[in-house]
Amino acid sequence: MPTPIVAPSLLAADHGDFAGGIRAIEEAGLGWVHLDIMDGHFVPNISFGPQVVAALRPRTKLHFDVHLMLTHPDRFVTAFAQAGAERLTVHVEADHDMTRTLAAIKAAGLQAGVAMNPDTDPRRLLPYLDAVDLALCMTVFPGFGGQAFIPAALESVRFLAEERQRRGSGFRLEVDGGVNAETGLRCRAAGADTLVAGTAFFQAPDRRSFV
Ligand code: DX5
Ligand code: ZN
């Protein structure tokens, strides 16, 4: 079981001061930042792109956990690799050849992740689990922070945790959306080890409580 990690999502930070959001994560003693990239097509919202990622890269040593909520993620692998991403996670529901996209991510020297929406059958991830370092189970429908956690998504977390055990794999199992102190415990109990927290982190009175 990979070591537990909390990855604050910059989507919930002040979009007029992303560098301040990065500093808040560092000051909380955390090592990852989750960067939610949205194209307004795969999800009904637009967030930020490779130029913002590139601007933040030289300011921090945080691990850039980039979540591509894009219809054509394959078209942006090079741009985010050059921007300084260390990991790119792509959705199984997007319009691309997943095997080829994962190969391109790894050819660019990055870690690769596969993601699914809460209503997707987790069996759709099975063909890719041996090719990734991370599997992401969305616990909200992607597009916006601050949404309510979808408990039914825990079934997929349990399914993937059992599959990881059966294969003897070491991929990270990440959850994302509505994760807070209470729902995070339920995710951990279901087998998740990597918790994305946007609102819960940036609106926490004591951010160090996430360590
Ligand atoms: C939603 C994003 C999530 C979101 C999490 O599409 O993928 O990372 O920012 O935000 P909270 O933790 O606020 O639900
Ligand atoms: Zn995300």
Side-chain angles (χ1 to χ4, degrees), residues 7-12 34-38 43 67 69 91 136 138-149 175-180 196-201:
S9 165
L10 213 56
L11 191 73
H34 184 80
L35 298 169
D36 283 310
I37 311 301
M38 301 178 181
V43 293
H67 177 191
M69 288 163 274
H91 275 262
L136 164 55
M138 290 304 294
T139 41
V140 297
F141 282 94
F144 298 91
Q147 300 179 78
F149 181 82
V175 288
D176 181 8
V179 177
N180 57 35
V196 173
T199 305
F201 175 81

Side-chain angles (χ1 to χ4, degrees), residues 22-92:
I22 291 284
R23 273 197 306 280
I25 296 170
E26 292 171 331
E27 286 159 9
L30 298 172
W32 284 34
V33 56
H34 184 80
L35 298 169
D36 283 310
I37 311 301
M38 301 178 181
D39 62 2
H41 187 262
F42 181 73
V43 293
N45 191 10
I46 295 175
S47 57
F48 47 87
Q51 280 181 265
V52 169
V53 175
L56 293 171
R57 183 68 280 175
R59 296 166 182 256
T60 181
K61 296 206 178 340
L62 290 175
H63 178 83
F64 280 14
D65 172 36
V66 177
H67 177 191
L68 295 182
M69 288 163 274
L70 310 175
T71 296
H72 300 294
D74 47 316
R75 298 179 185 172
F76 295 89
V77 169
T78 302
F80 281 100
Q82 289 173 348
E86 276 128 333
R87 169 192 309 281
L88 293 181
T89 297
V90 292
H91 275 262
V92 69

